[in-house]
Amino acid sequence: MVSAKTSASPGRWQTRSQPVAYGPFRAVTDADTHTITLMAGTQVVKTEMDINTAAYFIAHDPSPILFVQPTQGAALNFSKERFEPTIEVTPALREAIEPFALRNTITHKEYQGGSIDFVGANSPMDLASRAKRVVISDEIDKYPPSAGKEGDPLYLAEERASTYKALGRSKCIRTCSPTDEETSRIGQEYKASDQRRCFVGCPLCGHEQLLTWAHVTWSRSPDGEHLPDSATILCEKCRKPWTEGGRIRALNALEFAPDHGWRQTKPFVCCGIRQEPEVWNDRGRAHCRECGVEAPYDGHAGFHISKIYSKRHRLPDLVREFLDAQGDPEKLKKF
């Protein structure tokens, strides 16, 4: 069923007995998606996405996996400090990996049906060896321009999935926080995707909107001092401010939206008209406003997530970070 944006009921704060995957996590198991680009703020989603994707394919759909970090040292540290602790506390991973303990190392772990290798983007030999079905590339803005003399390390790594891609079974995951707007690799890859963004229903009137810094507002004291603790998000429609509690409730409510708020925003051409998406189906796929046909999709799903969407980061703290960055180009770039 195709419909325009559906307003959420302001009072519908339900609970669900079973966890549900949505956004980039849902895309991992979409049959028609082969590439996922996740551009997110620092300390937001990326590590969970990388680890959970690897864990899913180890425990539920055993496959050969390549996990790429900017350097071999970073790959070793990630496996030791992030992935091995995950194995220890996850029974399904322990059951899959422990029978092969004698053959496993910090950067190479086998399981029935495949193995996972943690490698550096600066190591051409590791990037260009055996075929892998799943390629997870983390912090891609920090990759060197070339892996030795072999060329672009991201494409070199993902070339290892070409056999599986020809069969329609590959998955390539790229994650990073953006750096320079003109040269950021994750920014370039996101632009090449279908550019999905998350629409959140106002907890007061139900109007659905993107959460951007332009929607954030805060007060000043009579003498002009900024008051970060007064930070709110302003609704585009009713013009009423969301409290921090309202922001959290609105984010929680995404679980019950048919498309979980995630919708394609990349312009497309249909019926001879260049269109900004404004009609979506329950999967967040854009449709032509004239004929209703689904917009073209080449299998590359892109997701843009700022800290405003994070329940672990308080809005007043983001305002403090923004104010602290004023006058410092490097701090402002980080922000």
Side-chain angles (χ1 to χ4, degrees):
M1 177 180 177
V2 179
S3 62
K5 293 187 286 186
T6 303
S7 295
S9 299
R12 187 188 62 176
W13 312 118
Q14 306 177 38
T15 59
R16 188 188 294 270
S17 59
Q18 296 294 327
V20 61
Y22 51 97
F25 297 93
R26 179 177 180 178
V28 169
T29 56
D30 282 346
D32 58 352
T33 296
H34 56 72
T35 301
I36 299 167
T37 293
L38 174 57
M39 182 171 69
T42 56
Q43 302 299 309
V44 178
V45 177
K46 302 185 298 298
T47 298
E48 289 93 335
M49 176 68 179
D50 293 338
I51 291 177
N52 289 348
T53 297
Y56 172 81
F57 282 104
I58 291 171
H60 299 289
D61 190 4
S63 308
I65 303 171
L66 183 68
F67 201 121
V68 188
Q69 289 284 340
T71 66
Q72 192 60 38
L76 187 149
N77 289 338
F78 188 94
S79 177
K80 183 187 298 184
E81 298 170 8
R82 305 304 296 268
F83 198 72
E84 290 196 347
T86 301
I87 295 172
E88 292 174 7
V89 299
T90 310
L93 293 182
R94 289 203 311 271
E95 293 172 8
I97 293 173
E98 283 185 351
F100 300 86
L102 293 179
R103 297 208 294 266
N104 289 342
T105 66
I106 294 176
T107 58
H108 173 82
K109 302 186 188 302
E110 296 183 20
Y111 40 86
Q112 190 66 42
S115 64
I116 181 169
D117 290 288
F118 295 86
V119 305
N122 59 345
S123 176
M125 182 177 298
D126 290 331
L127 292 177
S129 54
R130 290 175 293 181
K132 299 288 186 179
R133 179 187 174 196
V134 180
V135 179
I136 302 171
S137 303
D138 189 28
E139 298 291 354
I140 67 172
D141 276 19
K142 298 178 181 178
Y143 286 8
S146 179
K149 297 180 180 180
E150 301 297 321
D152 186 303
L154 179 62
Y155 288 158
L156 192 63
E158 294 184 351
E159 179 63 24
R160 293 178 62 174
S162 59
T163 299
Y164 288 94
K165 186 174 182 179
L167 299 173
R169 300 184 64 234
S170 67
K171 293 290 179 182
C172 293
I173 318 296
R174 301 93 162 259
T175 63
C176 197
S177 297
T179 50
D180 184 87
E181 185 175 2
E182 298 300 320
T183 61
S184 171
R185 183 63 183 273
I186 195 71
Q188 294 170 2
E189 297 300 335
Y190 176 75
K191 288 179 182 178
S193 74
D194 63 354
Q195 299 178 17
R196 302 185 196 189
R197 300 193 70 181
C198 190
F199 291 78
V200 182
C202 173
L204 302 171
C205 73
H207 170 71
E208 294 173 320
Q209 66 185 44
L210 298 173
L211 302 187
T212 70
W213 193 243
H215 295 113
V216 179
T217 183
W218 61 92
S219 303
R220 294 194 186 197
S221 68
D223 60 0
E225 181 183 357
H226 292 276
L227 302 174
D229 286 328
S230 67
T232 62
I233 291 175
L234 199 63
C235 176
E236 295 172 333
K237 185 175 182 180
C238 71
R239 308 305 295 174
K240 294 181 180 179
W242 306 7
T243 64
E244 180 67 355
R247 181 182 74 97
I248 299 302
R249 290 196 302 274
L251 292 172
N252 287 338
L254 291 171
E255 181 177 359
F256 306 99
D259 57 12
H260 307 299
W262 285 102
R263 296 164 186 165
Q264 297 172 336
T265 65
K266 188 173 186 176
F268 63 97
V269 176
C270 192
C271 296
I273 305 170
R274 186 180 187 275
Q275 305 179 38
E276 298 284 342
E278 58 185 44
V279 180
W280 298 269
N281 62 18
D282 287 351
R283 297 182 65 201
R285 298 286 174 82
H287 283 249
C288 175
R289 64 172 179 264
E290 300 293 327
C291 68
V293 170
E294 189 171 296
Y297 178 58
D298 64 1
H300 184 179
F303 298 86
H304 178 291
I305 308 174
S306 77
K307 282 187 177 179
I308 304 176
Y309 287 88
S310 171
K311 291 183 283 186
R312 294 185 302 198
H313 295 85
R314 297 176 62 251
L315 201 57
D317 293 335
L318 297 184
V319 172
R320 289 188 181 90
E321 184 180 343
F322 171 75
L323 295 173
D324 182 62
Q326 300 309 297
D328 187 325
E330 291 306 312
K331 282 187 176 181
L332 196 58
K333 181 186 293 187
K334 173 185 176 297
F335 174 81

